[in-house]
């Protein structure tokens, strides 16, 4: 493996502030997005993911403004998602300074959004965010994992692995794989989920959900992740970017 493993802080933004919760509820304030992004850029983050988690129409102006200010301040790739519903939203976010756009719910409703965006802007700009969980009672998929929407609150009954495969086939240049079971629990990444998706897709895979200790990152890469994403452990100072990169390097993985 010669490509460097990327370490990516995630900024979940609500009404212009970074927040963090457990399984997407009980949110607490984690700071100003532009200040945090700047600090992460200086700390050696390889990229940033910026998710507008409420993405209500009233916050749209806030989002574009924050993206613009972040892009002006930080010189590492910026992926932005939340409330992306059409190709025009890709255009607006890329013009505001995003390098890539992440899409979730809208792609489930209309998968041609992925192919249309990839055709217009290139696959490298299109990130499919997959919020996956183990099937609850009454839901059954071939892999045992289903895709959810609305921050993991709504069941779709769609097989998560099949959906990742379809997303890549339709032009997504990257999969952001969020484990809803692990999100915010800090109990480690969902390794079986990562392994299943890795077995079926060749595009880069970002592991998200569950990072809590320094020892959590290398196993995610071992399971097939090309990048590791975390939020709480970075926002609240539990771990630094440098510590995570050091641990990955020690495990034999190339880092920037």
């Amino acid at each position: 493996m010669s490509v460097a493993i990327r370490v990516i802080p995630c900024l979940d933004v609500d009404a212009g502030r970074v927040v963090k919760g457990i399984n997407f509820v009980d949110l607490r304030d984690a700071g100003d997005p532009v200040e945090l992004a700047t600090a992460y850029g200086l700390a050696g983050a390889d990229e940033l993911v910026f998710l507008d988690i409420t993405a209500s129409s009233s916050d749209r102006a806030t989002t574009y403004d924050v993206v613009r200010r972040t892009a002006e301040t930080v010189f590492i790739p910026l992926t932005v998602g939340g409330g992306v519903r059409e190709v025009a939203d890709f255009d607006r976010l890329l013009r505001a300074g995003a390098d890539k756009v992440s899409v979730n719910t809208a792609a489930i409703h209309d998968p041609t959004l992925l192919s249309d965006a990839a055709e217009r802007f290139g696959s490298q700009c299109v990130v499919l965010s997959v919020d996956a969980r183990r099937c609850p009672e009454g839901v059954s998929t071939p892999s045992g994992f289903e895709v959810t929407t609305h921050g993991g609150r709504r069941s779709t009954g769609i097989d998560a692995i099949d959906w990742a495969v379809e997303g890549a086939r339709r032009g997504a240049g990257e999969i952001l794989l969020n484990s809803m079971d692990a999100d915010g629990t800090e109990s480690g990444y969902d390794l079986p989920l990562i392994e299943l998706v890795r077995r079926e897709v060749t595009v880069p895979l970002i592991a998200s959900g569950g990072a809590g200790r320094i020892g959590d990152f290398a196993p995610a890469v071992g399971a097939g992740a090309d990048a590791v994403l975390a939020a709480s452990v970075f926002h609240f100072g539990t771990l630094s970017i440098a510590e995570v990169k050091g641990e990955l390097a020690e495990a034999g993985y190339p880092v920037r």
Side-chain angles (χ1 to χ4, degrees), residues 12-103:
D12 291 326
V13 178
D14 179 14
R17 297 290 291 178
V18 176
V19 294
K20 193 60 201 152
I22 296 176
N23 302 122
F24 280 68
V25 293
D26 299 327
L27 301 176
R28 57 179 171 147
D29 189 274
D32 174 73
V34 181
E35 283 175 19
L36 274 172
T38 304
Y40 287 136
L42 294 171
D46 296 305
E47 294 186 13
L48 283 172
V49 167
F50 177 113
L51 298 176
D52 181 347
I53 60 167
T54 43
S56 66
S57 52
S58 60
D59 283 339
R60 272 289 132 235
T62 306
T63 303
Y64 292 124
D65 175 55
V66 175
V67 170
R68 201 169 286 113
R69 288 190 293 128
T70 303
E72 283 167 1
T73 316
V74 180
F75 303 102
I76 53 178
L78 179 63
T79 297
V80 182
V84 175
R85 295 178 182 90
E86 54 190 15
V87 172
D89 293 326
F90 278 79
D91 189 46
R92 281 190 283 269
L93 286 168
L94 293 168
R95 285 174 188 274
D99 297 281
K100 308 177 202 176
V101 176
S102 165
V103 65

Side-chain angles (χ1 to χ4, degrees), residues 1-5 226 252-256:
M1 186 189 295
S2 57
V3 177
I5 301 301
D226 301 280
Y253 297 114
V255 292
R256 289 195 179 97

Side-chain angles (χ1 to χ4, degrees), residues 127-153:
V127 178
L128 175 62
S129 181
V130 178
D131 288 350
R133 69 175 175 190
R134 281 164 183 76
C135 292
E137 204 174 323
V139 179
S140 175
T141 67
S143 70
F145 287 92
E146 73 155 342
V147 176
T148 64
T149 61
H150 301 80
R153 291 187 294 275

Side-chain angles (χ1 to χ4, degrees), residues 1 11 22 25 41 65 84 105 110 124 143 147 150 163 174 178 182-183 195 219 224 244:
M1 186 189 295
L11 309 179
I22 296 176
V25 293
D65 175 55
V84 175
T105 306
D110 179 12
Q124 78 285 350
S143 70
V147 176
H150 301 80
W163 175 231
E174 196 159 43
N178 307 304
D183 176 72
E195 285 168 357
V244 171

